[in-house]
Amino acid sequence: NAGVTQTPKFRILKIGQSMTLQCAQDMNHNYMYWYRQDPGMGLKLIYYSVGAGITDKGEVPNGYNVSRSTTEDFPLRLELAAPSQTSVYFCASSPQGALGNTIYFGEGSWLTVV
Amino acid sequence: AQSVTQLDSHVSVSEGTPVLLRCNYSSSYSPSLFWYVQHPNKGLQLLLKYTSAATLVKGINGFEAEFKKSETSFHLTKPSAHMSDAAEYFCVPPRRDSGAGSYQLTFGKGTKLSVIP
């Protein structure tokens, strides 16, 4: 029972580099989300998707891009990495929106930008 | 829009004693409320959810919460703390996204629970 799978678990990036965080879910969920969590803080929504081909911005989308070509996958792309993007990134999914529905989280991806 | 206040940033209890994590909500209209738990270096996991069906909600690992309209509270309780309960706990309201019309979860700072042996 895989649930939500994120890769890589840990990554160190240099300033200005780009990378993609991968996220896959095997529960056939329509909704997928990317959050970031800074030390000692709650989670902030970066982007979300309500289905294949549909994405929308969350609270903190600047510096990130997403795509949703399939129901299963929701990669998060960081272009021109900056130290402010050092954070823990969580991918999540839910059958429908957050009203009354459980959101399932991945284990997180720790990203350090130096 | 619904918002919540978790009254304590850190709660420390001894193993075997009751746990009380406090959460107050702002709006009289509350379609749902959630408690999520995050163990160290892990993702978040749903503990329990209120969806208007019943005011007393039972969750996993012996936790429960009661939705009290008169007090605008949704406090999380457990009769006896276990070492494995040490984690960060988030009381979470859904927020309607005006653009897409869908609901998202908004996470504040949470309450860190420490359990002393």
Side-chain angles (χ1 to χ4, degrees), chain A residues 66-93:
Chain A
V66 293
S67 59
R68 184 100 182 266
S69 56
T70 66
T71 299
E72 294 78 19
D73 300 299
F74 191 42
L76 176 73
R77 176 116 182 122
L78 282 73
E79 306 280 2
L80 298 174
S84 61
Q85 293 178 304
T86 295
S87 191
V88 184
Y89 291 84
F90 290 98
C91 180
S93 73

PDB file of all heavy atoms in Angstrom, chain A residues 66-93:
ATOM      1  N   VAL A  66       4.292  23.621 -11.595  1.00  0.00           N
ATOM      2  CA  VAL A  66       3.769  22.262 -11.517  1.00  0.00           C
ATOM      3  C   VAL A  66       3.120  21.897 -12.839  1.00  0.00           C
ATOM      4  O   VAL A  66       2.821  22.752 -13.670  1.00  0.00           O
ATOM      5  CB  VAL A  66       2.734  22.095 -10.387  1.00  0.00           C
ATOM      6  CG1 VAL A  66       3.357  22.253  -9.011  1.00  0.00           C
ATOM      7  CG2 VAL A  66       1.572  23.061 -10.580  1.00  0.00           C
ATOM      8  N   SER A  67       2.907  20.611 -12.986  1.00  0.00           N
ATOM      9  CA  SER A  67       2.134  20.095 -14.108  1.00  0.00           C
ATOM     10  C   SER A  67       1.381  18.868 -13.627  1.00  0.00           C
ATOM     11  O   SER A  67       1.773  18.242 -12.642  1.00  0.00           O
ATOM     12  CB  SER A  67       3.045  19.750 -15.286  1.00  0.00           C
ATOM     13  OG  SER A  67       3.999  18.773 -14.892  1.00  0.00           O
ATOM     14  N   ARG A  68       0.310  18.531 -14.305  1.00  0.00           N
ATOM     15  CA  ARG A  68      -0.469  17.342 -13.927  1.00  0.00           C
ATOM     16  C   ARG A  68      -0.964  16.686 -15.219  1.00  0.00           C
ATOM     17  O   ARG A  68      -2.073  16.895 -15.666  1.00  0.00           O
ATOM     18  CB  ARG A  68      -1.646  17.733 -13.035  1.00  0.00           C
ATOM     19  CG  ARG A  68      -2.443  16.521 -12.539  1.00  0.00           C
ATOM     20  CD  ARG A  68      -2.092  16.148 -11.152  1.00  0.00           C
ATOM     21  NE  ARG A  68      -2.820  14.972 -10.694  1.00  0.00           N
ATOM     22  CZ  ARG A  68      -3.972  15.026 -10.019  1.00  0.00           C
ATOM     23  NH1 ARG A  68      -4.542  16.190  -9.768  1.00  0.00           N
ATOM     24  NH2 ARG A  68      -4.542  13.914  -9.610  1.00  0.00           N
ATOM     25  N   SER A  69      -0.085  15.888 -15.799  1.00  0.00           N
ATOM     26  CA  SER A  69      -0.439  15.249 -17.066  1.00  0.00           C
ATOM     27  C   SER A  69      -1.203  13.945 -16.842  1.00  0.00           C
ATOM     28  O   SER A  69      -1.925  13.482 -17.736  1.00  0.00           O
ATOM     29  CB  SER A  69       0.815  14.982 -17.910  1.00  0.00           C
ATOM     30  OG  SER A  69       1.735  14.212 -17.158  1.00  0.00           O
ATOM     31  N   THR A  70      -1.065  13.350 -15.669  1.00  0.00           N
ATOM     32  CA  THR A  70      -1.798  12.127 -15.349  1.00  0.00           C
ATOM     33  C   THR A  70      -2.445  12.271 -13.978  1.00  0.00           C
ATOM     34  O   THR A  70      -2.047  13.149 -13.196  1.00  0.00           O
ATOM     35  CB  THR A  70      -0.884  10.891 -15.320  1.00  0.00           C
ATOM     36  OG1 THR A  70       0.036  11.025 -14.225  1.00  0.00           O
ATOM     37  CG2 THR A  70      -0.111  10.737 -16.621  1.00  0.00           C
ATOM     38  N   THR A  71      -3.387  11.415 -13.662  1.00  0.00           N
ATOM     39  CA  THR A  71      -3.994  11.436 -12.330  1.00  0.00           C
ATOM     40  C   THR A  71      -2.979  11.103 -11.254  1.00  0.00           C
ATOM     41  O   THR A  71      -3.021  11.637 -10.155  1.00  0.00           O
ATOM     42  CB  THR A  71      -5.157  10.420 -12.274  1.00  0.00           C
ATOM     43  OG1 THR A  71      -6.139  10.782 -13.232  1.00  0.00           O
ATOM     44  CG2 THR A  71      -5.799  10.391 -10.891  1.00  0.00           C
ATOM     45  N   GLU A  72      -2.018  10.222 -11.575  1.00  0.00           N
ATOM     46  CA  GLU A  72      -1.109   9.702 -10.569  1.00  0.00           C
ATOM     47  C   GLU A  72       0.018  10.654 -10.181  1.00  0.00           C
ATOM     48  O   GLU A  72       0.497  10.630  -9.060  1.00  0.00           O
ATOM     49  CB  GLU A  72      -0.472   8.389 -11.069  1.00  0.00           C
ATOM     50  CG  GLU A  72      -1.445   7.240 -11.249  1.00  0.00           C
ATOM     51  CD  GLU A  72      -2.261   7.358 -12.531  1.00  0.00           C
ATOM     52  OE1 GLU A  72      -1.853   8.106 -13.461  1.00  0.00           O
ATOM     53  OE2 GLU A  72      -3.325   6.725 -12.599  1.00  0.00           O
ATOM     54  N   ASP A  73       0.492  11.464 -11.119  1.00  0.00           N
ATOM     55  CA  ASP A  73       1.737  12.205 -10.906  1.00  0.00           C
ATOM     56  C   ASP A  73       1.526  13.710 -10.812  1.00  0.00           C
ATOM     57  O   ASP A  73       0.738  14.294 -11.579  1.00  0.00           O
ATOM     58  CB  ASP A  73       2.714  11.905 -12.044  1.00  0.00           C
ATOM     59  CG  ASP A  73       3.040  10.428 -12.131  1.00  0.00           C
ATOM     60  OD1 ASP A  73       3.575   9.910 -11.138  1.00  0.00           O
ATOM     61  OD2 ASP A  73       2.747   9.807 -13.179  1.00  0.00           O
ATOM     62  N   PHE A  74       2.300  14.336  -9.925  1.00  0.00           N
ATOM     63  CA  PHE A  74       2.186  15.789  -9.721  1.00  0.00           C
ATOM     64  C   PHE A  74       3.568  16.335  -9.364  1.00  0.00           C
ATOM     65  O   PHE A  74       3.864  16.630  -8.212  1.00  0.00           O
ATOM     66  CB  PHE A  74       1.175  16.064  -8.615  1.00  0.00           C
ATOM     67  CG  PHE A  74       0.772  17.509  -8.472  1.00  0.00           C
ATOM     68  CD1 PHE A  74       0.515  18.308  -9.581  1.00  0.00           C
ATOM     69  CD2 PHE A  74       0.618  18.071  -7.215  1.00  0.00           C
ATOM     70  CE1 PHE A  74       0.120  19.626  -9.450  1.00  0.00           C
ATOM     71  CE2 PHE A  74       0.211  19.394  -7.060  1.00  0.00           C
ATOM     72  CZ  PHE A  74      -0.022  20.173  -8.181  1.00  0.00           C
ATOM     73  N   PRO A  75       4.444  16.487 -10.338  1.00  0.00           N
ATOM     74  CA  PRO A  75       5.805  16.963 -10.047  1.00  0.00           C
ATOM     75  C   PRO A  75       5.845  18.456  -9.753  1.00  0.00           C
ATOM     76  O   PRO A  75       5.075  19.234 -10.327  1.00  0.00           O
ATOM     77  CB  PRO A  75       6.569  16.628 -11.337  1.00  0.00           C
ATOM     78  CG  PRO A  75       5.516  16.590 -12.398  1.00  0.00           C
ATOM     79  CD  PRO A  75       4.263  16.110 -11.741  1.00  0.00           C
ATOM     80  N   LEU A  76       6.772  18.833  -8.892  1.00  0.00           N
ATOM     81  CA  LEU A  76       6.992  20.237  -8.530  1.00  0.00           C
ATOM     82  C   LEU A  76       8.370  20.645  -9.015  1.00  0.00           C
ATOM     83  O   LEU A  76       9.369  20.038  -8.665  1.00  0.00           O
ATOM     84  CB  LEU A  76       6.920  20.423  -7.010  1.00  0.00           C
ATOM     85  CG  LEU A  76       7.218  21.828  -6.476  1.00  0.00           C
ATOM     86  CD1 LEU A  76       6.049  22.767  -6.793  1.00  0.00           C
ATOM     87  CD2 LEU A  76       7.463  21.797  -4.971  1.00  0.00           C
ATOM     88  N   ARG A  77       8.419  21.694  -9.823  1.00  0.00           N
ATOM     89  CA  ARG A  77       9.686  22.134 -10.402  1.00  0.00           C
ATOM     90  C   ARG A  77      10.136  23.410  -9.722  1.00  0.00           C
ATOM     91  O   ARG A  77       9.349  24.360  -9.569  1.00  0.00           O
ATOM     92  CB  ARG A  77       9.520  22.371 -11.898  1.00  0.00           C
ATOM     93  CG  ARG A  77      10.747  22.917 -12.592  1.00  0.00           C
ATOM     94  CD  ARG A  77      11.254  21.917 -13.614  1.00  0.00           C
ATOM     95  NE  ARG A  77      12.482  22.440 -14.259  1.00  0.00           N
ATOM     96  CZ  ARG A  77      13.632  21.786 -14.231  1.00  0.00           C
ATOM     97  NH1 ARG A  77      13.728  20.616 -13.639  1.00  0.00           N
ATOM     98  NH2 ARG A  77      14.698  22.291 -14.816  1.00  0.00           N
ATOM     99  N   LEU A  78      11.398  23.415  -9.302  1.00  0.00           N
ATOM    100  CA  LEU A  78      12.031  24.625  -8.776  1.00  0.00           C
ATOM    101  C   LEU A  78      12.976  25.164  -9.832  1.00  0.00           C
ATOM    102  O   LEU A  78      13.884  24.463 -10.276  1.00  0.00           O
ATOM    103  CB  LEU A  78      12.844  24.320  -7.517  1.00  0.00           C
ATOM    104  CG  LEU A  78      12.108  24.149  -6.202  1.00  0.00           C
ATOM    105  CD1 LEU A  78      11.362  22.824  -6.161  1.00  0.00           C
ATOM    106  CD2 LEU A  78      13.077  24.253  -5.042  1.00  0.00           C
ATOM    107  N   GLU A  79      12.737  26.364 -10.255  1.00  0.00           N
ATOM    108  CA  GLU A  79      13.615  27.016 -11.222  1.00  0.00           C
ATOM    109  C   GLU A  79      14.482  28.022 -10.480  1.00  0.00           C
ATOM    110  O   GLU A  79      13.980  28.751  -9.621  1.00  0.00           O
ATOM    111  CB  GLU A  79      12.779  27.763 -12.270  1.00  0.00           C
ATOM    112  CG  GLU A  79      11.737  26.926 -12.976  1.00  0.00           C
ATOM    113  CD  GLU A  79      12.309  26.063 -14.085  1.00  0.00           C
ATOM    114  OE1 GLU A  79      13.544  26.081 -14.284  1.00  0.00           O
ATOM    115  OE2 GLU A  79      11.538  25.365 -14.754  1.00  0.00           O
ATOM    116  N   LEU A  80      15.755  28.053 -10.778  1.00  0.00           N
ATOM    117  CA  LEU A  80      16.660  29.059 -10.188  1.00  0.00           C
ATOM    118  C   LEU A  80      16.549  29.037  -8.657  1.00  0.00           C
ATOM    119  O   LEU A  80      16.066  29.987  -8.039  1.00  0.00           O
ATOM    120  CB  LEU A  80      16.327  30.463 -10.721  1.00  0.00           C
ATOM    121  CG  LEU A  80      16.496  30.643 -12.225  1.00  0.00           C
ATOM    122  CD1 LEU A  80      16.006  32.012 -12.659  1.00  0.00           C
ATOM    123  CD2 LEU A  80      17.970  30.449 -12.623  1.00  0.00           C
ATOM    124  N   ALA A  81      16.983  27.941  -8.058  1.00  0.00           N
ATOM    125  CA  ALA A  81      16.843  27.755  -6.623  1.00  0.00           C
ATOM    126  C   ALA A  81      17.472  28.903  -5.833  1.00  0.00           C
ATOM    127  O   ALA A  81      18.553  29.413  -6.174  1.00  0.00           O
ATOM    128  CB  ALA A  81      17.484  26.435  -6.214  1.00  0.00           C
ATOM    129  N   ALA A  82      16.802  29.291  -4.747  1.00  0.00           N
ATOM    130  CA  ALA A  82      17.259  30.349  -3.858  1.00  0.00           C
ATOM    131  C   ALA A  82      17.277  29.816  -2.425  1.00  0.00           C
ATOM    132  O   ALA A  82      16.520  28.893  -2.096  1.00  0.00           O
ATOM    133  CB  ALA A  82      16.318  31.546  -3.949  1.00  0.00           C
ATOM    134  N   PRO A  83      18.129  30.397  -1.554  1.00  0.00           N
ATOM    135  CA  PRO A  83      18.188  29.932  -0.159  1.00  0.00           C
ATOM    136  C   PRO A  83      16.824  29.951   0.532  1.00  0.00           C
ATOM    137  O   PRO A  83      16.563  29.124   1.406  1.00  0.00           O
ATOM    138  CB  PRO A  83      19.170  30.910   0.487  1.00  0.00           C
ATOM    139  CG  PRO A  83      20.058  31.349  -0.637  1.00  0.00           C
ATOM    140  CD  PRO A  83      19.160  31.419  -1.838  1.00  0.00           C
ATOM    141  N   SER A  84      15.951  30.878   0.132  1.00  0.00           N
ATOM    142  CA  SER A  84      14.617  30.958   0.746  1.00  0.00           C
ATOM    143  C   SER A  84      13.763  29.731   0.441  1.00  0.00           C
ATOM    144  O   SER A  84      12.711  29.537   1.074  1.00  0.00           O
ATOM    145  CB  SER A  84      13.890  32.213   0.256  1.00  0.00           C
ATOM    146  OG  SER A  84      13.725  32.158  -1.147  1.00  0.00           O
ATOM    147  N   GLN A  85      14.196  28.913  -0.505  1.00  0.00           N
ATOM    148  CA  GLN A  85      13.449  27.698  -0.823  1.00  0.00           C
ATOM    149  C   GLN A  85      13.931  26.479  -0.038  1.00  0.00           C
ATOM    150  O   GLN A  85      13.415  25.383  -0.218  1.00  0.00           O
ATOM    151  CB  GLN A  85      13.527  27.416  -2.330  1.00  0.00           C
ATOM    152  CG  GLN A  85      12.798  28.464  -3.155  1.00  0.00           C
ATOM    153  CD  GLN A  85      12.898  28.222  -4.648  1.00  0.00           C
ATOM    154  OE1 GLN A  85      13.992  28.125  -5.203  1.00  0.00           O
ATOM    155  NE2 GLN A  85      11.757  28.124  -5.309  1.00  0.00           N
ATOM    156  N   THR A  86      14.889  26.708   0.837  1.00  0.00           N
ATOM    157  CA  THR A  86      15.285  25.656   1.770  1.00  0.00           C
ATOM    158  C   THR A  86      14.103  25.352   2.678  1.00  0.00           C
ATOM    159  O   THR A  86      13.610  26.232   3.386  1.00  0.00           O
ATOM    160  CB  THR A  86      16.500  26.099   2.607  1.00  0.00           C
ATOM    161  OG1 THR A  86      17.626  26.261   1.747  1.00  0.00           O
ATOM    162  CG2 THR A  86      16.809  25.093   3.699  1.00  0.00           C
ATOM    163  N   SER A  87      13.644  24.120   2.633  1.00  0.00           N
ATOM    164  CA  SER A  87      12.417  23.775   3.348  1.00  0.00           C
ATOM    165  C   SER A  87      12.185  22.276   3.251  1.00  0.00           C
ATOM    166  O   SER A  87      12.940  21.546   2.597  1.00  0.00           O
ATOM    167  CB  SER A  87      11.233  24.531   2.726  1.00  0.00           C
ATOM    168  OG  SER A  87      10.082  24.423   3.529  1.00  0.00           O
ATOM    169  N   VAL A  88      11.127  21.826   3.907  1.00  0.00           N
ATOM    170  CA  VAL A  88      10.655  20.457   3.724  1.00  0.00           C
ATOM    171  C   VAL A  88       9.392  20.528   2.876  1.00  0.00           C
ATOM    172  O   VAL A  88       8.490  21.311   3.171  1.00  0.00           O
ATOM    173  CB  VAL A  88      10.344  19.760   5.059  1.00  0.00           C
ATOM    174  CG1 VAL A  88       9.960  18.305   4.805  1.00  0.00           C
ATOM    175  CG2 VAL A  88      11.527  19.846   6.003  1.00  0.00           C
ATOM    176  N   TYR A  89       9.349  19.735   1.838  1.00  0.00           N
ATOM    177  CA  TYR A  89       8.237  19.774   0.894  1.00  0.00           C
ATOM    178  C   TYR A  89       7.392  18.511   1.049  1.00  0.00           C
ATOM    179  O   TYR A  89       7.919  17.392   1.088  1.00  0.00           O
ATOM    180  CB  TYR A  89       8.766  19.882  -0.536  1.00  0.00           C
ATOM    181  CG  TYR A  89       9.409  21.220  -0.796  1.00  0.00           C
ATOM    182  CD1 TYR A  89      10.745  21.454  -0.446  1.00  0.00           C
ATOM    183  CD2 TYR A  89       8.683  22.266  -1.361  1.00  0.00           C
ATOM    184  CE1 TYR A  89      11.329  22.698  -0.660  1.00  0.00           C
ATOM    185  CE2 TYR A  89       9.262  23.500  -1.577  1.00  0.00           C
ATOM    186  CZ  TYR A  89      10.581  23.709  -1.217  1.00  0.00           C
ATOM    187  OH  TYR A  89      11.155  24.946  -1.432  1.00  0.00           O
ATOM    188  N   PHE A  90       6.088  18.724   1.150  1.00  0.00           N
ATOM    189  CA  PHE A  90       5.168  17.600   1.283  1.00  0.00           C
ATOM    190  C   PHE A  90       4.195  17.594   0.119  1.00  0.00           C
ATOM    191  O   PHE A  90       3.561  18.603  -0.189  1.00  0.00           O
ATOM    192  CB  PHE A  90       4.381  17.688   2.589  1.00  0.00           C
ATOM    193  CG  PHE A  90       5.198  17.438   3.814  1.00  0.00           C
ATOM    194  CD1 PHE A  90       5.690  18.494   4.554  1.00  0.00           C
ATOM    195  CD2 PHE A  90       5.488  16.144   4.220  1.00  0.00           C
ATOM    196  CE1 PHE A  90       6.464  18.273   5.680  1.00  0.00           C
ATOM    197  CE2 PHE A  90       6.256  15.908   5.342  1.00  0.00           C
ATOM    198  CZ  PHE A  90       6.751  16.983   6.068  1.00  0.00           C
ATOM    199  N   CYS A  91       4.077  16.444  -0.489  1.00  0.00           N
ATOM    200  CA  CYS A  91       3.052  16.213  -1.485  1.00  0.00           C
ATOM    201  C   CYS A  91       1.889  15.510  -0.798  1.00  0.00           C
ATOM    202  O   CYS A  91       2.101  14.724   0.153  1.00  0.00           O
ATOM    203  CB  CYS A  91       3.601  15.358  -2.620  1.00  0.00           C
ATOM    204  SG  CYS A  91       2.418  15.007  -3.926  1.00  0.00           S
ATOM    205  N   ALA A  92       0.681  15.768  -1.243  1.00  0.00           N
ATOM    206  CA  ALA A  92      -0.487  15.155  -0.622  1.00  0.00           C
ATOM    207  C   ALA A  92      -1.563  14.931  -1.672  1.00  0.00           C
ATOM    208  O   ALA A  92      -1.523  15.529  -2.757  1.00  0.00           O
ATOM    209  CB  ALA A  92      -1.013  16.035   0.504  1.00  0.00           C
ATOM    210  N   SER A  93      -2.529  14.100  -1.334  1.00  0.00           N
ATOM    211  CA  SER A  93      -3.635  13.866  -2.256  1.00  0.00           C
ATOM    212  C   SER A  93      -4.917  13.611  -1.473  1.00  0.00           C
ATOM    213  O   SER A  93      -4.880  13.234  -0.288  1.00  0.00           O
ATOM    214  CB  SER A  93      -3.340  12.677  -3.179  1.00  0.00           C
ATOM    215  OG  SER A  93      -3.431  11.450  -2.474  1.00  0.00           O
TER     216      SER A  93
END
